[in-house]
């Protein structure tokens, strides 16, 4: 089921001693599901998810699809957004219902200089517990204040454990490279028996890691 355009490729493959995997869509199904919606009073979970999903409609990332699908499954009507801005590896921002809404990593919120760093620290502590179960956590902020977070999990492909076992038996060194938080990445790696993980890697840095290994 694999086509090689040149015979030299087969000769090169025979010399490979290290294999680098991306996580999402390679080791996992690439179809994350929304698992947790946690809002900070007076915000409701419905308001949180409506605003976040309305922003994520403008993104093509699998996590964005999970958030939008999660909102639609709950019967939440999404709003149109404007002034959409994507920050690679960090998250997205847009104006929804006259509010500037941000959905992304803790780094994105800190970059925006949140009004209440104390609230941010508390949410980060809760997020750590979610990451230990393999969830990717997205924080949501409105007009410079954190209002909650979303937890998304991407199931491991049923074929992945067996594939990794066979590669290990062939003496191949396995490395997982992902943009996910280190705790989330380690949780997935532990389940798969992977010892080397490079987490928090931006898309543009993945090729650099491959070059370093070469």
């Amino acid at each position: 089921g694999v086509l090689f355009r040149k015979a030299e490729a087969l000769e090169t493959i025979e010399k490979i001693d290290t294999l680098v995997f991306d996580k999402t869509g390679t080791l996992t199904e690439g179809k994350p599901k929304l698992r947790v919606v946690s809002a900070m009073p007076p915000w409701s979970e419905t308001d949180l998810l409506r605003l976040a999903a309305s922003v994520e409609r403008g993104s093509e990332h699998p996590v964005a699809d999970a958030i939008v699908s999660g909102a639609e499954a709950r019967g939440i009507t999404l709003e149109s957004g404007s002034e959409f801005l994507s920050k690679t590896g960090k998250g997205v921002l847009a104006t929804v219902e006259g509010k500037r809404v941000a959905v992304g990593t803790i780094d994105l919120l800190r970059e925006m200089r949140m009004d209440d760093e104390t609230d941010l620290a508390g949410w980060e502590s809760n997020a750590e517990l979610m990451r230990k179960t393999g969830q990717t956590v997205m924080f949501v902020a409105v007009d410079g204040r954190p209002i909650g977070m979303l937890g998304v999990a991407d199931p491991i492909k049923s074929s992945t454990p067996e594939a990794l076992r066979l590669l290990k038996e062939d003496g191949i060194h396995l490395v997982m490279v992902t943009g996910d938080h280190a705790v989330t990445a380690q949780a997935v790696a532990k389940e798969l028996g992977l010892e080397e993980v490079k987490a928090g890697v931006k898309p543009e840095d993945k090729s650099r890691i491959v070059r370093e290994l070469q």
Side-chain angles (χ1 to χ4, degrees), residues 40-63:
M40 179 187 297
W43 296 89
S44 69
E45 292 183 356
T46 298
D47 288 337
L48 170 70
L49 190 52
R50 185 184 72 256
L51 291 172
S54 295
V55 172
E56 291 288 14
R57 289 173 77 179
S59 173
E60 298 179 350
H61 195 281
V63 170

Side-chain angles (χ1 to χ4, degrees), residues 98-160:
K99 305 176 181 67
R100 192 59 174 167
V101 183
V103 184
T105 65
I106 195 77
D107 289 336
L108 174 65
L109 269 61
R110 287 189 173 125
E111 184 179 291
M112 295 172 61
R113 297 180 181 177
M114 291 288 100
D115 291 341
D116 196 334
E117 280 287 341
T118 302
D119 286 346
L120 208 55
W123 282 106
E124 173 64 2
S125 177
N126 292 333
E128 198 75 353
L129 298 175
M130 294 164 59
R131 293 185 186 114
K132 288 180 179 178
T133 66
Q135 293 185 64
T136 296
V137 179
M138 304 297 284
F139 294 88
V140 183
V142 172
D143 292 335
R145 292 189 64 86
I147 69 166
M149 59 186 180
L150 306 170
V152 173
D154 189 7
I156 292 172
K157 286 181 181 177
S158 59
S159 58
T160 296

Side-chain angles (χ1 to χ4, degrees), residues 3-181:
L3 174 66
F4 292 92
R5 294 180 60 191
K6 295 182 179 181
E8 291 92 332
L10 291 171
E11 296 174 2
T12 301
I13 284 177
E14 188 179 16
K15 301 173 185 177
I16 287 175
D17 59 11
T18 301
L19 194 57
V20 182
F21 295 97
D22 188 31
K23 181 179 74 67
T24 303
T26 303
L27 300 177
T28 65
E29 293 179 1
K31 298 178 181 178
K33 299 287 189 297
L34 181 65
R35 301 297 186 198
V36 175
V37 180
S38 181
M40 179 187 297
W43 296 89
S44 69
E45 292 183 356
T46 298
D47 288 337
L48 170 70
L49 190 52
R50 185 184 72 256
L51 291 172
S54 295
V55 172
E56 291 288 14
R57 289 173 77 179
S59 173
E60 298 179 350
H61 195 281
V63 170
D65 288 340
I67 293 172
V68 172
S69 297
E72 293 175 342
R74 289 166 171 77
I76 296 174
T77 301
L78 304 186
E79 306 295 333
S80 57
S82 61
E83 300 176 313
F84 180 84
L85 175 64
S86 176
K87 288 183 170 287
T88 304
K90 292 184 178 179
V92 292
L93 303 95
T95 299
V96 180
E97 299 176 357
K99 305 176 181 67
R100 192 59 174 167
V101 183
V103 184
T105 65
I106 195 77
D107 289 336
L108 174 65
L109 269 61
R110 287 189 173 125
E111 184 179 291
M112 295 172 61
R113 297 180 181 177
M114 291 288 100
D115 291 341
D116 196 334
E117 280 287 341
T118 302
D119 286 346
L120 208 55
W123 282 106
E124 173 64 2
S125 177
N126 292 333
E128 198 75 353
L129 298 175
M130 294 164 59
R131 293 185 186 114
K132 288 180 179 178
T133 66
Q135 293 185 64
T136 296
V137 179
M138 304 297 284
F139 294 88
V140 183
V142 172
D143 292 335
R145 292 189 64 86
I147 69 166
M149 59 186 180
L150 306 170
V152 173
D154 189 7
I156 292 172
K157 286 181 181 177
S158 59
S159 58
T160 296
E162 176 71 0
L164 297 184
R165 183 185 66 79
L166 293 171
L167 287 166
K168 283 183 177 180
E169 287 181 358
D170 281 342
I172 303 295
H173 178 57
L174 308 179
V175 182
M176 183 174 79
V177 178
T178 176
D180 263 340
H181 190 281

